[in-house]
Amino acid sequence: MPDVIINKEVFYNPVDFVLKKLGGTWKIPVLWRLRKKTWRYTELQKDIAHISQKMLTQTLKELEADGFVLKKVYAEVPPRTEYSLTEKGTKAVEVITYLRNYGLELMKEEGIDYEAMMQEEAKKKKDK
Amino acid sequence: MPDVIINKEVFYNPVDFVLKKLGGTWKIPVLWRLRKKTWRYTELQKDIAHISQKMLTQTLKELEADGFVLKKVYAEVPPRTEYSLTEKGTKAVEVITYLRNYGLELMKEEGIDYEAMMQEEAKKKKDK
DNA sequence: CTGAATCCTCCCGGATACTG
DNA sequence: CAGTATCCGGGAGGATTCAG
């Protein structure tokens, strides 16, 4: 295992490389939402519970810089910004989907039925 | 996205769940080495560059507790301990392999030929 | 509405010393 | 040989305030 240093970042293996790009708490929730459609900044902020404004901005900026996400700014008042997946981002979502399925398996092994929990949550939301 | 709390750990999605199990700097390098054979503690320590004794112990302990790794202690003097993959661990390595291949792709896109770099390193080692 | 700029907290992982 | 125990720094991410 060598020391691989690129752009002043040290990483030890290809998986590490992926996790430096897609890891952290917020990249995945954002990419996951973008998988089907374009989202506005505020929509994302409302939909992703607990994300701070700082982390949403930072996450989107990094995803854009790494070529996973496309940012479109409309010169309107008030301003509108839309985010969508690039081709590279679409590929990343495939990987995330794979990882997600494995996650669901692992959770099931521990007796956690994630999808049932999600439905519960959705119902609560509706009741409000 | 609900707040899912299990064993006092909060996580936001199934991918997060996986990364809580396999994430961090050292779980993957360890599991990767165990994929083909059993390793002793000291062998792992020698082979994984930069890993501290603390992190190796901690990593192995967590992997064992999560059921990915089997620990076998031989009551000899000096003591001998061997680590191997469980069935669950073998499944995890499949996921890691998938992730690793994606990592290699990403690196190639950025003009990084990881496998060539590895061969360079191997040659250097031999020369010494 | 879509950010930028600061300050602060927590915890992962490193360094070092000790043990059965 | 295979660990424990302790102390410590840095960076990810939260809270708050300001701006175009």
Side-chain angles (χ1 to χ4, degrees), chain A residues 10-27:
Chain A
V10 185
F11 60 93
Y12 297 132
N13 55 63
V15 178
D16 208 15
F17 190 83
V18 173
L19 295 184
K20 285 243 167 59
K21 301 280 185 183
L22 304 182
T25 311
W26 302 114
K27 299 253 178 96

Side-chain angles (χ1 to χ4, degrees), chain A residues 40 42 53 57 61 71 79 81 83:
Chain A
R40 295 186 58 172
T42 315
Q53 175 276 321
T57 300
K61 188 182 291 180
K71 173 181 181 174
T81 319
Y83 294 91

